[in-house]
Amino acid sequence: MTGPAYSHIVGARTYAFADLRALMSKASPARSGDHLAGLAAHSAEERVAAQMTLAALPLSTFLQHALIPYEDDEVTRLIIDSHDARALAIIGDLTVGDLRNWLLGDSADSATLARLAPGITPEMAAAVSKIMRVQDLVLVARKCRVTTAFRNTLGLEQRIATRLQPNHPTDDATGIAASILDGLLYGSGDAVIGINPATDNVPQVVALLHMLDAIISEYGIPTQSCVLTHVTNTMAAIEQGAPVDLVFQSIAGTEAANAGFGISLSLLAEAQAAALALGRGTVGSNVMYFETGQGSALSANAHHGVDQQTCEARAYAVARAFDPLLVNSVVGFIGPEYLYDGKQILRAGLEDHFCAKLLGLPMGCDVCYTNHAEADQDDMDVLLTMLGAAGCNFIMGVPGSDDIMLNYQSTSFHDALYVRQVLGLRPAPEFEQWLHSVGIFGDGKLETALPGRFQQALARL
């Protein structure tokens, strides 16, 4: 049961919402995916009526009425069974609107929000995000600090990390090495050096893992590597003795959508245990890396009539169960069928970051768009700046911002320098110390001369 019917009167018109699922869908800010699914409000007035109704709803409603039935979905069971009622007691008597007001107040400081996180369900986070302005999403997320560690420490205040993404359309080792060197010389790579393999099979994954491990070991880089392949390939690589730092997997917010990815909660638990057993972390043991994105459940016809932003928030419950080092939304990657233009991508990226941080996740964002979306790099500059102000844990670093293997536009190594310089942000502390020790950074700034050791590396390419 997804709750009773709701209604709201605007002037002489009464807007009716069949159940909680419909109310949440109609209250969502406009996006093309919800229109595609037939879930969106039919007018701005109906959307406001839904938002006003939602604002008056007690938070306890989301514990009484599951949007996807408990018996039908293991993600719902995870959300309900892992809920911490004592943590929610801080705000348990509030409505959704009250929660927004409380979050914006001074009493909702970083320590309090950290204690609250286990008591917030994804549906609560999604609901309050639907009645928040962009500045609200930024302000509250900035107060949510989530730190994780493997070979360096991520998520500390006034720092932003980058995933160095050296993808190559043929997995050419020289091309990948050149991109890695380029990224390191711009101070990128502290979140992870992570490759999306063009040839997604176990032998290729193993070869790439050995290559990354050799680079990190030779130069003593305090970072972690990852080949972004299916979790079963990574588990097979571990069995073959490959140097696996992080286990990657794309996840979604319903059991059916995760089944479309070929995963289950039990499989993720098995992979986490295998990676932990390797003991490769030096300053921490967060070994999982998850990617998400609004529209993934809808694209798999596995959304159960739930709006795409709420489905996305439910994916964060999956991630939260496995203590990840990194989580990020590839916000504009799925395409304009789900997020049509720069305005929708901007809103979705800030929603995703806010909801994940409120739930206690170390959230980053791939600030990105596909070439057939109504968006451009100016839109991405705005989103990048807003995320930097919001305390985003990490962003992507792609050569020239153009991923030549996945064929989409993201953020470049220069973009990371920009956001660090403008907002006074720095890399992860261990990585920053390494940048200084090898001569890439000096006095906190990028050196203009190429360090001799890296001149030799460049000559070998």
Side-chain angles (χ1 to χ4, degrees), residues 63 66 68-84 118 120-123 251-255 258 264-266 268-269 290 313-323 361:
L63 298 173
I68 302 173
Y70 182 93
E71 60 273 14
D72 295 343
D73 185 88
E74 71 170 356
V75 178
T76 298
R77 293 193 289 275
L78 172 67
I79 292 167
I80 298 300
D81 294 348
S82 62
H83 180 252
D84 188 335
I120 295 287
T121 70
E123 291 84 357
I251 57 173
T254 72
E255 180 179 353
N258 283 325
S264 64
L265 298 179
S266 60
L268 294 177
F290 296 118
R314 284 170 55 91
Y316 305 151
V318 176
R320 184 166 62 173
F322 297 100
D323 299 320
L361 284 180

Side-chain angles (χ1 to χ4, degrees), residues 46-71:
E46 183 182 25
R47 181 174 300 109
V48 171
Q51 290 171 338
M52 292 177 72
T53 306
L54 185 62
L57 211 63
L59 293 176
S60 58
T61 306
F62 297 100
L63 298 173
Q64 297 162 0
H65 304 289
L67 297 185
I68 302 173
Y70 182 93
E71 60 273 14

Side-chain angles (χ1 to χ4, degrees), residues 74 139 152 183 330 334 352 355 395 420 431 437:
E74 71 170 356
L139 176 61
N152 57 34
V330 282
I334 301 180
D352 294 350
C355 287
I395 58 171
R420 283 172 173 166
F431 189 79
S437 70

